[in-house]
Amino acid sequence: MLILTCPYCGLDAEETELHPGGEAHLKRVGPEGSDEEFEDYMFARKNAKGVHFERWRHAYGCGKWFLAARDTVTLQVYGTYRAQTHAPPQDIVDAIRKVRPDWQPDWSHAE
Amino acid sequence: MTHTPPFRLARGGRLIDRAFQIPFRFDGRYLRGLRGDTLASAMLASGQMLMGRSFKYHRPRGPVASGAEEPNALFGLGQGGRFEPNQRATTTALVPGMILRSQNCWPSLDADIGAVNNWLSPMLPAGFYYKTFIHPRPFWKHLFEPIIRRSAGLGRAPTDPDPDRYEQAYALYDTVVVGGGIAGLTAAREAAEKGGKVLVLEQNPVWGGRTPVDHKAGEATIQALLDDLRGRANVTLRRNTMATGLYDHGYLLAREALADHDPNQGIPRQRLWRIRAGHIVTATGALERPLAFACNDVPGVMLASAVRDFIVDYGVAPGQRIVVVTNNDDAYRTALIAQEARLDVTVLDARDSADGDLPQAARAQNITVLTGSAIAKVTGGRHVESVAVCDQKGEGKHTGTIDCDVVAMSGGWSPIVHLYSHCGGKLLWDEAQAMFRPDPDRPPLGADGRGNVTATGAASGDLRCAGDLERAEGATMPVWCMPANAPYKLRAKMWLDYQNDVKVTDVLLAAREGYASVEHTKRYTTLGMATDQGKVSNINGLAILSDALNQPIPQTGTTTFRPPYTPLTLATIAADARGEAFQPLRKTPLHAWHERHGVSWEPVGQWRRPYCYPRGDEDRHAAVNREILAVRNSVGTLDASTLGKILVKGPDAGKFLDMMYTNMMSSLPVGKCRYGLMCSENGFLMDDGVVARLTEDTWLCHTTTGGADRIHGHMEDWLQCEWWDWQVYTANVTEQYAQIAVAGPKARDLLERLPGSIDLSQQALPFMQWVEGDIAGMPARIYRISFSGELSYEIAVPAGRGLELWERLQEAGRDLGITPYGTEAMHVMRAEKGFIMIGDETDGTIIPQDLGLGWAISKKKSDYIGKRAQSRSHMKDGARWQLVGLESLDDRVIPDGALAVDEGTNPNGQRKTQGRVTSSYHSPTLGRPIAMALVRHGTGRMGQVLEFPLPSGEVLKGRICDPVFYDKEGARLNG
Amino acid sequence: MAEALATVARLDGLGMITIRADLSRSGDAIAEAAGLAIPDATRISTDGSRSLGWMSPDELLLILPAQETPDAIAALEQALAAEHALIADVSDARAVFEVIGDHASDVIAKLSPAHLDALPQDGLRRSRAAQTAAAFWRVDGGFRLIGFRSTADYLDLVLQSAACPGSGLAPR
């Protein structure tokens, strides 16, 4: 039963007030994409052991989707941030590196 | 020696009130206890040492412990709906009129036929089931399984609904201290001084834990701490509340007993606390371990701490002559307390010397202390009669015999590490104290990545936290087997798990057979799988296994601790989510009208929708037929309020809807409606509905009944997470409106009878248009849309006025035979028209192209959700099953879901299939069965006959036909 | 028999208007049309008969006497005519309850995981009540709670049940 802070309301919401949405920072592949690209977008998920970026909706709250950087092993939450971004903001990256200096970002389309 | 009264001592008993006697019944006998007694103390005070039978061998069992770890003294408690199996006598407070039944015995506790298993025990070794019931295979289902099922399970499940109420509550604290003993109260004071909200939970009705029993000044110390804490505004003290489990991010579940077994107070019986704790302090104490000596399961063999608890707390002497057997100093407290209560005591200490302060004190009280000594064997059947004494280092050669009626054993103490471990806290093996204790360097972590649990007091391994630090205490000597070199014959009678009858030899056998993992050994032998979950047996079993594997204990590891700490009744978890409040029931504004008019309901998600309205003697089928014919021939009304209604507005709303729907919505003129399909990104059809363009920049999207919230969420997901720069707002206005479908050839006649401003003529409001205005004095939006295939209007008015409109319609249409119709009539009529239904024709693997809905997929658009997926080879495969109609060849309705078989068989030897029925009804309009089906190459196979074998062996035949059975040209709905 | 922890009563006669807009651009216009200050995030501003609640970063809920709803909608539409905004009457989509009494917060604490101690006097908390969405804020002597119309009976049931006499959350 996680607690995540909704970056829109600033409220600490517990898991029962949230709706999970799977891996974050996927890049949509439209009609022009190849079969391989589409497969990767539609089906291939990281299932990370450790640092993971995921989508959550404050469903029983403001209704907004937000993103969380979380450690799937220790349950540490490095931070939550608004969904309107293609890559985690620098303060989130810094928070992760503080705990895991060796961690390398691996999203494919960082700006 | 015999077990003789009096059992209640003349003096003492800090928790009982001798002025109040409490009657109760045990297996039909009337007994009496005192206010403050537990069931166990009241039974012992009545001379009832025999309290149960073990699970496997049905051996007689008495209480071993005095608290939550008790494995033996379990009863069926109460009667009727309040009957509960497996209630622990040691933690259940005695309440007047309580009714107890013994378990796992027949015909009675005293004369239990199942005890024959005891004589068969050499033939029932560990893994017996696995070895015996594996062959011959057919015997499993018909012989072994029924026998095992009949003898499985401890206690009897209640048969009646639980009449009591239960509830939940949420709370948030900076610090939660679990355990109201000296360590917990001290930790609470420290936390309170630092500030922040502090909660202290104590599972028992009294504070103090072991301290008041074990230390002379304990009671006063505890009282002083309580006085201090009660004076602090930031501290909450909660008794009768057991912390059952600790989960992610400091989520702590605790059960508060409010009116346990005393249902007459009218308040909830139990409350489940869902607590968010910034920091958790586990001050849960420690559990004493038994010693493994031969026949250590005979009633009267108890933990040393339990013996002194019964004496001090309840003024009950479990026996008159007590042999204390120990490997540590702590058990001498029992000897001293028993001596003070004028009971006869002898101490057998396995250690070569015992010179700590407590043993010295015992000797000073003239208590006989035999060091280096052990119990070779306990004699007695239903009760301890004597013990044979031997040398601990030897093989069990008798050096003497002591008559006694109680053996008080102590194998040392194990910290209660459950909560610490539930959420990932790690343990370390403390060689000196022979215990696993929480590793303070590897605690469970909170959301901030820091440890959020601290163990304190005995729970952290600090067994002397209650004080007495000035007293010298001798070291505990690990004793896993007594005597050390006991031969097989003795080991085969040393019990580890009392309830499940797991003995030292069972664990040794498991080790010999290759079970090196403690988790596997646990399952193979059932050690620790009883209702006490190994609280009494785990460490001893682990030590025996490690010894047999010839490796240190930490290398063998311990089993995983999982919540709940002690069993939690399901009713507490469900709390008020039962009966009418089991889940939210969504009601339309017309719900009460339907109920008054004999509705037969259909659950649709959380909604209730009218399935039909049977009249008089009609069954549901007859009612549906009548309703359909009324709509086809005159006019009917349907409550369509549950349909989702989502407003989509903004400069980019058209562009957005073009992405959401497969067809073009941006080109829809204001005032018109269009049927739209929505697919998932994976290409599959997930919802459909009519979209109306309200203004230049506003659309209203209808969804299916079950789809409203989901589709609204889907839209918001894409708007917020993908196209956040598009200017679009959505609002789910589903419940703002009551929506009523008025359908049938007389629909227009009927509506024109109501006063209003709206021209409903074919010219003014043709098919697939909408109009706004007043009808019967209500602001309304009327959509000329049809799911029945008839002339049809759907009228939306504010929900609060829905009932008024509905009643006005019924009134105005009386002479037309106006008929309210339900969802089943709607389903049949749409099937007659060949309209698909989400959830019938679709199942999450169907694309619009399968259903002949290619016309609703825009060819002009470069993109929409699902477009890329639909161009995958599998989606374009010509062999995909296609929607067709089916005519039954023998006038019978082919069952929904029936499979059309093909030539040949698959690798499993089953017939190959080439299609399945998706919707199937008797059509009263046509007077014959109709069906829709998905069939391989279906649209190219008109006229072919398919075979549908039924489970009964019969084979029904259906001829492939056009799926539109009624009014193919659409003259009626356009009329 | 002890008294209920609080009285739970369904409240009629309230109008409700959902306003979706860019609050940084349109805030002043909305405030003027609604007659109330724009509330901060997770707050509700009120003048006695009208309240304006913050529902999300781009959504407000105006609560007012039902008879004022049409005029308020017209005023808002006019004020936001030049902006990208959505205004919807949701009066009929809601059910409103008042939970009033010394132990009203116990009733809420049995149904919602929201942290009530942290709810300011002018706080509006969107959360859940048992298994259904709800929003609540403080009023004199207790709380006002809104949920959906379709689950009004369910809400009434769980609220009444949480207010059961003798079931206060204070330690026993």
Side-chain angles (χ1 to χ4, degrees), chain B residues 857-875:
Chain B
I857 299 174
S858 169
K859 310 286 182 293
K860 292 184 213 152
K861 295 197 299 193
S862 60
D863 196 3
Y864 59 83
I865 302 296
K867 184 176 172 72
R868 176 61 187 84
Q870 288 166 2
S871 68
R872 281 180 290 168
S873 57
H874 173 63
M875 302 295 201

Side-chain angles (χ1 to χ4, degrees), chain B residues 52-72:
Chain B
R53 292 272 175 175
S54 64
F55 184 61
K56 190 170 167 188
Y57 302 141
H58 293 248
R59 285 177 63 96
R61 288 283 183 260
V64 171
S66 57
E69 71 274 33
E70 173 57 34
N72 291 338

Side-chain angles (χ1 to χ4, degrees), chain B residues 339-396:
Chain B
Q339 170 91 344
E340 198 182 323
R342 297 166 197 280
L343 305 174
D344 191 84
V345 189
T346 307
V347 179
L348 302 178
D349 195 322
R351 298 172 295 181
D352 285 340
S353 63
D355 301 319
D357 279 2
L358 284 165
Q360 299 286 15
R363 289 193 188 95
Q365 294 292 319
N366 293 321
I367 295 171
T368 307
V369 175
L370 303 175
T371 52
S373 297
I375 291 179
K377 188 177 191 296
V378 175
T379 306
R382 303 256 171 102
H383 205 287
V384 172
E385 289 166 10
S386 66
V387 296
V389 182
C390 67
D391 197 3
Q392 166 61 18
K393 287 181 181 144
E395 296 183 351

Side-chain angles (χ1 to χ4, degrees), chain B residues 165 167-168 170 197 236-239 267 271 582 586-587 649 716 727-730 735-736 799-800, chain C residues 20-22 84-85 89-93 109-110 112 117 128 131 149-150 153 161 164 167 169 171-172:
Chain B
R165 285 195 47 226
E167 67 176 24
Q168 300 193 357
Y170 299 85
K197 277 177 71 185
T236 306
L237 298 168
R238 206 172 278 286
R239 297 173 303 142
I267 61 172
R271 176 186 294 145
F582 174 62
R586 297 179 73 182
K587 299 177 178 178
K649 182 169 188 278
E716 281 293 324
Q727 290 201 302
V728 182
Y729 287 129
T730 71
E735 297 199 18
Q736 170 65 14
Chain C
R20 291 200 64 179
D22 180 339
H84 165 43
D89 183 355
V90 292
S91 315
D92 286 54
K110 290 183 190 183
S112 166
D117 288 354
R128 58 185 178 82
Q131 301 175 63
R149 177 196 190 92
S150 66
D153 286 353
S161 151
C164 164
S167 69
L169 296 182
R172 300 157 69 81

Side-chain angles (χ1 to χ4, degrees), chain B residues 798-965:
Chain B
R801 307 201 65 179
L803 179 60
E804 185 186 345
L805 175 63
W806 179 271
E807 286 183 328
R808 290 288 295 273
L809 288 165
Q810 306 305 319
E811 184 72 34
R814 192 165 293 165
D815 62 311
L816 299 173
I818 187 169
T819 303
Y821 67 98
T823 51
E824 185 63 2
M826 174 187 82
H827 285 162
V828 177
M829 287 191 282
R830 66 90 197 170
E832 290 171 345
K833 277 294 292 176
F835 293 151
I836 64 127
M837 186 86 191
I838 298 292
D840 283 339
E841 277 64 44
T842 69
D843 63 359
T845 69
I846 302 300
I847 56 176
Q849 292 87 337
D850 298 336
L851 302 178
L853 294 171
W855 58 268
I857 299 174
S858 169
K859 310 286 182 293
K860 292 184 213 152
K861 295 197 299 193
S862 60
D863 196 3
Y864 59 83
I865 302 296
K867 184 176 172 72
R868 176 61 187 84
Q870 288 166 2
S871 68
R872 281 180 290 168
S873 57
H874 173 63
M875 302 295 201
K876 296 183 105 60
D877 186 351
R880 285 186 72 86
W881 293 1
Q882 296 166 327
L883 189 72
V884 294
L886 278 182
E887 286 169 343
S888 177
L889 291 197
D890 68 353
D891 224 30
R892 289 167 63 186
V893 176
I894 304 172
D896 201 349
L899 290 165
V901 289
D902 201 355
E903 295 303 320
T905 56
N906 68 15
N908 292 327
Q910 298 154 326
R911 284 290 295 274
K912 285 186 177 172
T913 57
Q914 54 177 329
R916 68 166 191 279
V917 176
T918 56
S919 291
S920 191
Y921 305 98
H922 172 78
S923 161
T925 312
L926 305 173
R928 60 182 170 86
I930 58 165
M932 293 158 89
L934 285 159
V935 175
R936 188 185 303 124
H937 303 303
T939 49
R941 296 170 64 184
M942 289 297 149
Q944 289 185 23
V945 173
L946 299 175
E947 293 192 342
F948 298 90
L950 303 185
S952 64
E954 280 180 289
V955 177
L956 296 186
K957 291 183 177 174
R959 182 184 293 120
I960 298 174
C961 64
D962 188 289
V964 184
F965 292 91

